[in-house]
Amino acid sequence: MKVTLSDTARRFIALFEEETEATAHDCLVFEDRVVFLVAAGDMATAIGPGGRTVQSVERQLGRSVELVEDADTPEAFVASALAPAAVRHVTLSRQNDTVAYVEVAEADRGVAIGASGKTIDTARELARRHYDIDDIQLT
């Protein structure tokens, strides 16, 4: 799928990639935070030793930065987008809409949802943009 980025998202990605030397495939810009979709295998580089690299990006942007690692399959992508929740299994159902049903340990449901639903909402938006998944449901 082709993702269209705003000028602000492009600027943020350029700053992120210059600062971290990691590749960002997407960027969601919110009022209080920015979410970068980091290339698979680049997460450690993006975070940096002791989190210093990502903290530098946060200071420069004046916002909280969240990182999601990209994946090769829609199922792995959804699991990654819900991290750090422990995802047991992801099943895609393609009927009228494409829905990802995600099995998460009961103890991790709150982690998968996030404060005010931020984590699952972000996962839904990224899954829609990159894999044409219409919804994510926790089971």
Coordinates of all heavy atoms in Angstrom, one line a residue, residues 21-120:
E21 N 19.9 7.4 12.6 CA 20.5 6.6 11.6 C 19.7 5.3 11.4 O 20.2 4.3 10.8 CB 22.0 6.2 11.9 CG 22.8 7.5 11.9 CD 24.3 7.2 12.1 OE1 24.7 6.0 12.2 OE2 25.1 8.2 12.2
A22 N 18.4 5.3 11.8 CA 17.5 4.2 11.5 C 16.5 4.7 10.4 O 16.3 5.9 10.2 CB 16.7 3.9 12.8
T23 N 15.9 3.8 9.8 CA 14.9 4.1 8.7 C 13.5 4.1 9.3 O 13.1 3.1 9.9 CB 15.1 3.0 7.6 OG1 16.4 3.1 7.0 CG2 14.1 3.3 6.4
A24 N 12.8 5.1 8.9 CA 11.4 5.2 9.3 C 10.5 5.1 8.1 O 10.7 5.8 7.1 CB 11.1 6.6 10.0
H25 N 9.6 4.2 8.1 CA 8.7 3.9 6.9 C 7.4 4.8 7.0 O 6.7 4.9 6.0 CB 8.3 2.4 6.9 CG 9.4 1.6 6.5 ND1 9.4 0.2 6.7 CD2 10.7 1.8 6.0 CE1 10.6 -0.3 6.3 NE2 11.3 0.6 5.9
D26 N 7.1 5.3 8.2 CA 5.8 6.1 8.3 C 6.0 6.9 9.6 O 6.8 6.6 10.5 CB 4.6 5.1 8.4 CG 3.3 5.8 8.2 OD1 3.3 7.0 7.9 OD2 2.3 5.1 8.3
C27 N 5.1 7.8 9.7 CA 5.1 8.7 10.9 C 3.6 9.2 11.1 O 3.0 9.7 10.2 CB 6.0 9.9 10.6 SG 6.0 11.2 11.9
L28 N 3.1 9.0 12.3 CA 1.8 9.5 12.7 C 2.0 10.7 13.6 O 2.7 10.5 14.7 CB 1.0 8.5 13.4 CG 0.7 7.2 12.5 CD1 -0.2 6.2 13.4 CD2 -0.1 7.5 11.3
V29 N 1.5 11.8 13.3 CA 1.7 13.0 14.1 C 0.5 13.4 14.9 O -0.6 13.5 14.3 CB 2.1 14.2 13.2 CG1 2.4 15.5 14.1 CG2 3.4 13.9 12.4
F30 N 0.6 13.4 16.2 CA -0.5 13.8 17.1 C -0.1 15.0 17.9 O 1.1 15.4 17.8 CB -0.8 12.6 18.1 CG -1.2 11.3 17.4 CD1 -0.3 10.4 17.2 CD2 -2.5 11.1 17.1 CE1 -0.6 9.2 16.6 CE2 -2.9 9.9 16.5 CZ -2.0 9.0 16.2
E31 N -1.0 15.6 18.5 CA -0.7 16.9 19.2 C 0.4 16.7 20.3 O 1.2 17.5 20.5 CB -2.0 17.4 19.9 CG -1.9 18.8 20.5 CD -3.2 19.3 21.0 OE1 -4.2 19.3 20.2 OE2 -3.2 19.7 22.1
D32 N 0.3 15.6 21.0 CA 1.2 15.4 22.2 C 2.3 14.3 21.9 O 3.2 14.1 22.7 CB 0.4 14.9 23.4 CG -0.4 13.6 23.2 OD1 -0.6 13.3 22.0 OD2 -0.7 13.0 24.2
R33 N 2.3 13.6 20.8 CA 3.2 12.6 20.5 C 3.4 12.3 19.0 O 2.6 12.8 18.2 CB 2.7 11.3 21.2 CG 1.5 10.7 20.6 CD 0.9 9.6 21.4 NE -0.4 9.2 20.9 CZ -0.7 8.1 20.3 NH1 0.2 7.2 20.2 NH2 -1.9 7.8 19.8
V34 N 4.4 11.6 18.7 CA 4.7 11.2 17.3 C 5.0 9.7 17.3 O 5.8 9.3 18.2 CB 5.9 12.0 16.7 CG1 6.2 11.6 15.3 CG2 5.7 13.5 16.8
V35 N 4.5 9.0 16.4 CA 4.7 7.6 16.3 C 5.5 7.3 15.0 O 5.0 7.7 13.9 CB 3.4 6.7 16.3 CG1 3.7 5.3 16.2 CG2 2.6 7.0 17.5
F36 N 6.7 6.7 15.1 CA 7.4 6.3 13.9 C 7.4 4.8 13.7 O 7.5 4.0 14.6 CB 8.9 6.7 14.1 CG 9.2 8.2 14.1 CD1 9.4 8.9 15.3 CD2 9.2 8.9 13.0 CE1 9.6 10.2 15.4 CE2 9.5 10.3 13.0 CZ 9.7 10.9 14.2
L37 N 7.1 4.4 12.5 CA 7.2 3.0 12.1 C 8.6 2.8 11.6 O 9.1 3.3 10.5 CB 6.2 2.7 10.9 CG 6.2 1.3 10.4 CD1 5.8 0.3 11.5 CD2 5.2 1.2 9.2
V38 N 9.4 2.0 12.4 CA 10.8 1.8 12.2 C 11.0 0.6 11.4 O 10.4 -0.5 11.6 CB 11.5 1.7 13.5 CG1 13.0 1.5 13.4 CG2 11.3 3.0 14.4
A39 N 12.0 0.6 10.4 CA 12.3 -0.6 9.6 C 12.6 -1.8 10.5 O 13.3 -1.6 11.6 CB 13.4 -0.3 8.7
A40 N 12.2 -3.0 10.1 CA 12.5 -4.2 10.8 C 14.0 -4.3 11.0 O 14.8 -4.1 10.1 CB 12.0 -5.4 10.1
G41 N 14.5 -4.5 12.3 CA 15.9 -4.7 12.6 C 16.5 -3.4 13.0 O 17.7 -3.4 13.4
D42 N 15.9 -2.2 12.8 CA 16.4 -0.9 13.2 C 16.0 -0.4 14.6 O 16.4 0.7 14.9 CB 16.0 0.1 12.1 CG 16.9 0.1 10.9 OD1 17.8 -0.8 10.8 OD2 16.7 1.0 10.0
M43 N 15.3 -1.2 15.3 CA 14.7 -0.7 16.6 C 15.8 -0.3 17.6 O 15.8 0.8 18.2 CB 13.7 -1.7 17.2 CG 13.0 -1.1 18.4 SD 11.9 0.2 17.9 CE 10.4 -0.7 17.6
A44 N 16.8 -1.2 17.7 CA 17.9 -0.9 18.7 C 18.6 0.4 18.3 O 19.0 1.2 19.1 CB 18.8 -2.1 18.8
T45 N 18.9 0.6 17.0 CA 19.6 1.8 16.5 C 18.7 3.0 16.8 O 19.2 4.0 17.2 CB 19.8 1.6 15.0 OG1 20.6 0.5 14.8 CG2 20.5 2.8 14.5
A46 N 17.4 2.9 16.6 CA 16.5 4.0 16.8 C 16.5 4.4 18.3 O 16.4 5.6 18.6 CB 15.1 3.7 16.3
I47 N 16.5 3.4 19.2 CA 16.4 3.7 20.6 C 17.7 4.3 21.1 O 17.8 5.2 21.8 CB 16.0 2.5 21.4 CG1 14.6 2.1 21.0 CG2 16.1 2.7 22.9 CD1 14.1 0.7 21.5
G48 N 18.8 3.6 20.7 CA 20.1 4.1 21.1 C 20.5 3.6 22.5 O 19.6 3.1 23.2
P49 N 21.8 3.7 22.9 CA 22.2 3.2 24.2 C 21.4 3.9 25.3 O 21.4 5.2 25.4 CB 23.7 3.6 24.2 CG 24.1 3.8 22.8 CD 22.8 4.3 22.1
G50 N 20.8 3.2 26.2 CA 20.1 3.7 27.3 C 18.9 4.6 26.9 O 18.4 5.4 27.7
G51 N 18.5 4.5 25.6 CA 17.4 5.3 25.1 C 17.8 6.8 24.8 O 16.9 7.6 24.5
R52 N 19.1 7.1 24.7 CA 19.5 8.4 24.5 C 19.2 9.0 23.1 O 18.8 10.1 23.0 CB 21.0 8.5 24.7 CG 21.4 8.5 26.2 CD 22.9 8.8 26.5 NE 23.8 7.9 25.8 CZ 24.2 6.8 26.4 NH1 23.8 6.5 27.6 NH2 25.1 6.0 25.8
T53 N 19.2 8.1 22.1 CA 18.9 8.6 20.8 C 17.5 9.0 20.6 O 17.2 10.1 20.1 CB 19.3 7.5 19.7 OG1 20.6 7.0 20.0 CG2 19.2 8.0 18.3
V54 N 16.6 8.2 21.0 CA 15.1 8.5 20.9 C 14.8 9.7 21.8 O 14.0 10.5 21.5 CB 14.2 7.3 21.2 CG1 14.2 6.9 22.6 CG2 12.8 7.5 20.6
Q55 N 15.5 9.8 23.0 CA 15.2 10.9 23.9 C 15.7 12.2 23.2 O 15.0 13.3 23.4 CB 16.0 10.7 25.2 CG 15.3 9.6 26.1 CD 16.2 9.2 27.2 OE1 17.3 9.7 27.4 NE2 15.7 8.3 28.0
S56 N 16.8 12.2 22.5 CA 17.2 13.4 21.7 C 16.2 13.8 20.7 O 15.9 15.0 20.5 CB 18.5 13.1 21.0 OG 18.9 14.2 20.2
V57 N 15.6 12.8 20.0 CA 14.5 13.2 19.0 C 13.3 13.8 19.8 O 12.7 14.8 19.3 CB 14.1 11.9 18.3 CG1 12.9 12.2 17.4 CG2 15.2 11.4 17.4
E58 N 13.0 13.2 20.9 CA 11.8 13.8 21.7 C 12.1 15.2 22.1 O 11.2 16.1 22.0 CB 11.6 13.0 23.0 CG 11.0 11.6 22.7 CD 10.8 10.8 24.0 OE1 11.6 10.9 24.9 OE2 9.8 10.1 24.0
R59 N 13.3 15.5 22.5 CA 13.7 16.9 22.9 C 13.5 17.9 21.7 O 13.0 19.0 21.8 CB 15.1 17.0 23.5 CG 15.2 16.5 24.9 CD 16.5 16.9 25.5 NE 17.7 16.3 24.8 CZ 18.1 15.0 25.0 NH1 17.5 14.3 25.9 NH2 19.1 14.6 24.4
Q60 N 14.0 17.4 20.5 CA 14.0 18.2 19.3 C 12.6 18.5 18.8 O 12.3 19.6 18.3 CB 14.9 17.6 18.2 CG 16.4 17.7 18.6 CD 17.2 17.1 17.5 OE1 17.1 17.5 16.3 NE2 18.0 16.1 17.8
L61 N 11.7 17.5 19.0 CA 10.3 17.6 18.5 C 9.4 18.2 19.5 O 8.4 18.7 19.2 CB 9.8 16.2 18.1 CG 10.4 15.5 16.9 CD1 9.8 14.2 16.7 CD2 10.4 16.4 15.7
G62 N 9.9 18.2 20.8 CA 9.0 18.7 21.9 C 7.8 17.9 22.1 O 6.8 18.4 22.6
R63 N 7.9 16.6 21.8 CA 6.8 15.7 21.9 C 7.3 14.3 22.3 O 8.5 14.0 22.1 CB 6.0 15.5 20.6 CG 5.4 16.7 20.0 CD 4.8 16.5 18.7 NE 4.7 17.7 18.0 CZ 3.7 18.0 17.2 NH1 2.8 17.1 16.9 NH2 3.6 19.1 16.6
S64 N 6.4 13.5 22.9 CA 6.7 12.1 23.2 C 6.9 11.4 21.9 O 6.1 11.6 20.9 CB 5.6 11.5 24.0 OG 5.7 10.1 24.1
V65 N 7.8 10.4 21.8 CA 8.1 9.6 20.6 C 7.8 8.2 21.0 O 8.3 7.7 22.0 CB 9.5 9.8 20.1 CG1 9.8 8.8 19.0 CG2 9.7 11.2 19.5
E66 N 7.0 7.5 20.1 CA 6.7 6.1 20.2 C 7.2 5.4 19.0 O 7.1 6.0 17.9 CB 5.2 5.9 20.4 CG 4.7 6.5 21.7 CD 3.2 6.4 21.8 OE1 2.6 5.6 21.0 OE2 2.6 7.1 22.7
L67 N 7.8 4.2 19.2 CA 8.3 3.5 18.0 C 7.6 2.2 17.9 O 7.3 1.5 18.8 CB 9.8 3.2 18.3 CG 10.7 4.4 18.6 CD1 12.1 3.9 18.9 CD2 10.7 5.4 17.4
V68 N 7.3 1.8 16.6 CA 6.7 0.6 16.2 C 7.6 -0.1 15.2 O 8.0 0.6 14.2 CB 5.3 0.7 15.7 CG1 4.7 -0.6 15.1 CG2 4.3 1.3 16.7
E69 N 8.0 -1.3 15.4 CA 8.8 -2.0 14.4 C 8.0 -2.6 13.3 O 7.0 -3.3 13.5 CB 9.7 -3.1 15.1 CG 10.7 -3.6 14.2 CD 11.8 -4.4 14.9 OE1 11.5 -4.9 16.1 OE2 12.9 -4.7 14.4
D70 N 8.4 -2.4 12.1 CA 7.7 -2.9 10.9 C 7.9 -4.4 10.8 O 8.8 -5.0 11.5 CB 8.3 -2.2 9.6 CG 7.3 -2.2 8.5 OD1 6.3 -2.9 8.6 OD2 7.6 -1.6 7.5
A71 N 7.1 -5.1 10.1 CA 7.1 -6.5 9.9 C 6.7 -6.9 8.5 O 6.1 -6.1 7.8 CB 6.2 -7.2 11.0
D72 N 7.1 -8.2 8.2 CA 6.8 -8.6 6.8 C 5.4 -9.1 6.5 O 5.0 -9.2 5.4 CB 7.8 -9.8 6.5 CG 9.2 -9.3 6.4 OD1 9.4 -8.1 6.1 OD2 10.2 -10.1 6.6
T73 N 4.7 -9.5 7.6 CA 3.4 -10.1 7.4 C 2.4 -9.2 8.2 O 2.7 -8.6 9.2 CB 3.2 -11.5 7.9 OG1 3.4 -11.6 9.3 CG2 4.3 -12.4 7.2
P74 N 1.1 -9.2 7.7 CA 0.1 -8.4 8.5 C 0.0 -8.9 9.9 O -0.2 -8.1 10.8 CB -1.2 -8.6 7.7 CG -0.9 -9.3 6.4 CD 0.5 -9.8 6.5
E75 N 0.0 -10.2 10.1 CA -0.1 -10.7 11.5 C 1.0 -10.3 12.4 O 0.8 -9.8 13.5 CB -0.2 -12.3 11.4 CG -1.4 -12.8 10.7 CD -1.2 -13.0 9.2 OE1 -0.2 -12.5 8.6 OE2 -2.2 -13.5 8.6
A76 N 2.2 -10.4 11.9 CA 3.4 -9.9 12.7 C 3.4 -8.4 12.9 O 3.8 -7.9 13.9 CB 4.7 -10.3 12.0
F77 N 2.9 -7.7 11.9 CA 2.8 -6.2 12.0 C 1.8 -5.8 13.1 O 2.1 -5.0 13.9 CB 2.3 -5.7 10.6 CG 2.3 -4.2 10.6 CD1 3.4 -3.5 10.2 CD2 1.1 -3.5 10.9 CE1 3.4 -2.1 10.2 CE2 1.1 -2.1 10.9 CZ 2.3 -1.4 10.5
V78 N 0.7 -6.5 13.2 CA -0.3 -6.2 14.2 C 0.3 -6.5 15.6 O 0.1 -5.7 16.5 CB -1.7 -6.9 14.0 CG1 -2.6 -6.8 15.2 CG2 -2.4 -6.4 12.7
A79 N 0.9 -7.6 15.7 CA 1.5 -8.0 17.0 C 2.6 -6.9 17.4 O 2.6 -6.5 18.6 CB 2.2 -9.4 16.9
S80 N 3.4 -6.5 16.4 CA 4.4 -5.5 16.7 C 3.8 -4.2 17.1 O 4.3 -3.5 18.1 CB 5.3 -5.3 15.5 OG 6.2 -4.3 15.7
A81 N 2.7 -3.8 16.5 CA 2.0 -2.5 16.8 C 1.4 -2.5 18.2 O 1.2 -1.4 18.7 CB 1.0 -2.2 15.7
L82 N 1.1 -3.6 18.7 CA 0.5 -3.7 20.0 C 1.5 -3.9 21.1 O 1.2 -4.0 22.3 CB -0.5 -4.8 20.1 CG -1.8 -4.6 19.2 CD1 -2.7 -5.8 19.2 CD2 -2.6 -3.4 19.7
A83 N 2.8 -4.0 20.8 CA 3.9 -4.2 21.8 C 3.9 -3.0 22.8 O 3.5 -1.9 22.4 CB 5.2 -4.3 21.1
P84 N 4.2 -3.3 24.0 CA 4.8 -4.4 24.6 C 3.8 -5.5 25.1 O 4.2 -6.4 25.8 CB 5.6 -3.9 25.8 CG 4.7 -2.7 26.2 CD 4.1 -2.1 25.0
A85 N 2.6 -5.4 24.7 CA 1.6 -6.5 25.1 C 2.1 -7.8 24.5 O 2.6 -7.9 23.3 CB 0.2 -6.2 24.6
A86 N 1.9 -8.9 25.2 CA 2.3 -10.2 24.8 C 1.1 -10.8 23.9 O 0.1 -11.2 24.4 CB 2.6 -11.2 26.0
V87 N 1.3 -10.8 22.6 CA 0.3 -11.3 21.7 C 0.6 -12.8 21.5 O 1.7 -13.2 21.1 CB 0.4 -10.5 20.4 CG1 -0.5 -11.1 19.3 CG2 0.1 -9.0 20.6
R88 N -0.5 -13.5 21.7 CA -0.3 -15.0 21.5 C -0.6 -15.4 20.1 O 0.1 -16.3 19.6 CB -1.4 -15.7 22.4 CG -1.0 -15.6 23.9 CD -2.1 -16.3 24.7 NE -1.8 -16.2 26.1 CZ -2.7 -16.4 27.1 NH1 -4.0 -16.6 26.8 NH2 -2.4 -16.2 28.3
H89 N -1.5 -14.8 19.4 CA -1.9 -15.2 18.1 C -2.7 -14.1 17.4 O -3.5 -13.4 18.1 CB -2.7 -16.5 18.1 CG -3.0 -17.1 16.8 ND1 -2.0 -17.7 16.1 CD2 -4.1 -17.1 16.0 CE1 -2.5 -18.1 14.9 NE2 -3.8 -17.8 14.9
V90 N -2.5 -13.9 16.1 CA -3.3 -13.0 15.3 C -3.9 -13.8 14.1 O -3.2 -14.5 13.4 CB -2.4 -11.8 14.7 CG1 -3.2 -10.9 13.8 CG2 -1.7 -11.1 15.8
T91 N -5.2 -13.6 14.0 CA -6.0 -14.2 12.9 C -6.6 -13.1 12.1 O -7.3 -12.3 12.6 CB -7.1 -15.2 13.4 OG1 -6.4 -16.2 14.3 CG2 -7.8 -15.9 12.3
L92 N -6.4 -13.2 10.7 CA -7.1 -12.2 9.9 C -8.3 -12.9 9.3 O -8.3 -14.0 8.8 CB -6.2 -11.8 8.7 CG -5.0 -11.0 9.1 CD1 -4.2 -10.6 7.8 CD2 -5.4 -9.7 9.8
S93 N -9.4 -12.1 9.3 CA -10.7 -12.5 8.7 C -11.0 -11.5 7.6 O -11.1 -10.3 7.8 CB -11.8 -12.5 9.8 OG -13.0 -12.7 9.2
R94 N -11.1 -12.1 6.4 CA -11.4 -11.3 5.2 C -12.8 -11.6 4.7 O -13.0 -12.6 4.0 CB -10.4 -11.5 4.2 CG -9.0 -10.9 4.5 CD -8.0 -11.1 3.4 NE -6.8 -10.5 3.7 CZ -5.7 -11.1 4.2 NH1 -5.8 -12.4 4.5 NH2 -4.6 -10.5 4.4
Q95 N -13.8 -10.8 5.2 CA -15.1 -11.0 4.7 C -15.5 -9.7 4.0 O -14.9 -9.4 3.0 CB -16.1 -11.4 5.9 CG -15.5 -12.6 6.6 CD -16.5 -13.6 6.9 OE1 -17.7 -13.4 6.9 NE2 -16.1 -14.8 7.2
N96 N -16.5 -9.0 4.5 CA -16.8 -7.7 3.9 C -15.6 -6.7 4.2 O -15.3 -5.9 3.4 CB -18.1 -7.1 4.4 CG -19.3 -7.9 4.0 OD1 -19.2 -8.6 2.9 ND2 -20.3 -7.9 4.7
D97 N -15.1 -6.8 5.4 CA -14.0 -6.0 5.9 C -12.9 -7.0 6.3 O -13.1 -8.1 6.5 CB -14.3 -5.2 7.1 CG -15.4 -4.1 6.8 OD1 -15.4 -3.6 5.6 OD2 -16.1 -3.7 7.7
T98 N -11.7 -6.4 6.4 CA -10.5 -7.2 6.9 C -10.4 -6.9 8.4 O -10.1 -5.7 8.7 CB -9.2 -6.9 6.2 OG1 -9.5 -7.3 4.8 CG2 -8.1 -7.8 6.7
V99 N -10.5 -7.9 9.3 CA -10.4 -7.7 10.7 C -9.3 -8.6 11.2 O -9.3 -9.7 10.9 CB -11.7 -8.0 11.4 CG1 -11.6 -7.8 12.9 CG2 -12.9 -7.1 10.9
A100 N -8.5 -8.0 12.1 CA -7.4 -8.8 12.8 C -8.0 -9.1 14.2 O -8.2 -8.2 14.9 CB -6.1 -8.0 12.8
Y101 N -8.1 -10.4 14.4 CA -8.5 -10.8 15.8 C -7.2 -11.2 16.5 O -6.5 -12.1 16.0 CB -9.5 -12.0 15.7 CG -10.8 -11.6 15.1 CD1 -11.1 -11.8 13.8 CD2 -11.8 -11.0 15.9 CE1 -12.3 -11.4 13.2 CE2 -13.0 -10.6 15.4 CZ -13.2 -10.8 14.0 OH -14.4 -10.4 13.5
V102 N -7.0 -10.6 17.6 CA -5.7 -10.7 18.4 C -6.0 -11.3 19.7 O -6.7 -10.8 20.5 CB -5.1 -9.3 18.5 CG1 -3.7 -9.5 19.2 CG2 -4.9 -8.6 17.2
E103 N -5.3 -12.5 19.9 CA -5.4 -13.1 21.2 C -4.3 -12.6 22.1 O -3.1 -12.7 21.8 CB -5.2 -14.6 21.1 CG -5.4 -15.4 22.4 CD -5.2 -16.9 22.2 OE1 -5.3 -17.4 21.0 OE2 -5.0 -17.6 23.2
V104 N -4.7 -12.0 23.2 CA -3.7 -11.3 24.2 C -4.0 -11.9 25.5 O -5.2 -12.1 25.9 CB -3.9 -9.8 24.2 CG1 -3.0 -9.1 25.2 CG2 -3.7 -9.2 22.8
A105 N -3.0 -12.2 26.3 CA -3.2 -12.6 27.7 C -4.0 -11.6 28.4 O -3.9 -10.4 28.2 CB -1.8 -12.8 28.4
E106 N -4.9 -12.1 29.3 CA -5.8 -11.2 30.1 C -5.0 -10.1 30.8 O -5.4 -9.0 30.8 CB -6.6 -12.0 31.0 CG -7.7 -11.3 31.7 CD -8.8 -10.7 30.8 OE1 -9.1 -11.4 29.8 OE2 -9.3 -9.6 31.1
A107 N -3.9 -10.5 31.3 CA -3.0 -9.5 32.1 C -2.5 -8.4 31.2 O -2.1 -7.3 31.7 CB -1.9 -10.2 32.8
D108 N -2.4 -8.7 29.9 CA -1.9 -7.7 28.9 C -3.0 -6.9 28.1 O -2.6 -6.1 27.3 CB -0.9 -8.3 27.9 CG 0.5 -8.4 28.5 OD1 0.7 -7.9 29.6 OD2 1.3 -9.1 27.8
R109 N -4.2 -7.1 28.4 CA -5.3 -6.4 27.7 C -5.2 -4.9 27.8 O -5.3 -4.2 26.9 CB -6.7 -6.9 28.1 CG -7.0 -8.3 27.6 CD -8.5 -8.7 28.0 NE -9.5 -7.9 27.3 CZ -9.9 -8.1 26.0 NH1 -9.3 -9.0 25.3 NH2 -10.8 -7.3 25.5
G110 N -4.9 -4.5 29.0 CA -4.8 -3.0 29.3 C -3.6 -2.4 28.6 O -3.6 -1.3 28.0
V111 N -2.5 -3.2 28.5 CA -1.3 -2.8 27.7 C -1.6 -2.7 26.3 O -1.2 -1.7 25.6 CB -0.1 -3.8 28.0 CG1 1.1 -3.4 27.1 CG2 0.3 -3.8 29.5
A112 N -2.3 -3.6 25.7 CA -2.7 -3.6 24.3 C -3.6 -2.5 23.9 O -3.5 -1.9 22.9 CB -3.3 -5.0 23.9
I113 N -4.5 -2.1 24.9 CA -5.4 -1.0 24.6 C -4.7 0.3 24.8 O -4.9 1.2 24.0 CB -6.6 -1.2 25.5 CG1 -7.4 -2.4 25.1 CG2 -7.5 0.1 25.5 CD1 -8.5 -2.8 26.1
G114 N -3.9 0.4 25.9 CA -3.2 1.7 26.2 C -4.1 2.7 26.9 O -5.3 2.6 26.9
A115 N -3.5 3.7 27.4 CA -4.2 4.8 28.1 C -5.1 5.5 27.1 O -4.7 5.9 26.0 CB -3.2 5.8 28.7
S116 N -6.4 5.5 27.5 CA -7.4 6.2 26.6 C -7.5 5.5 25.2 O -7.9 6.2 24.3 CB -7.2 7.7 26.5 OG -7.2 8.3 27.8
G117 N -7.1 4.3 25.1 CA -7.1 3.6 23.9 C -6.1 3.9 22.8 O -6.2 3.6 21.7
K118 N -5.0 4.7 23.3 CA -4.0 5.2 22.3 C -3.3 4.0 21.6 O -3.1 4.1 20.4 CB -3.0 6.0 23.1 CG -3.5 7.4 23.4 CD -2.4 8.2 24.0 CE -2.8 9.6 24.4 NZ -1.8 10.4 25.0
T119 N -2.9 3.0 22.3 CA -2.1 1.9 21.7 C -2.9 1.2 20.6 O -2.4 1.1 19.5 CB -1.6 0.9 22.7 OG1 -0.9 1.6 23.7 CG2 -0.7 -0.1 22.1
I120 N -4.1 0.8 20.9 CA -4.9 0.1 19.9 C -5.3 1.0 18.8 O -5.4 0.6 17.6 CB -6.1 -0.7 20.5 CG1 -6.6 -1.8 19.5 CG2 -7.2 0.2 21.0 CD1 -7.4 -2.9 20.2

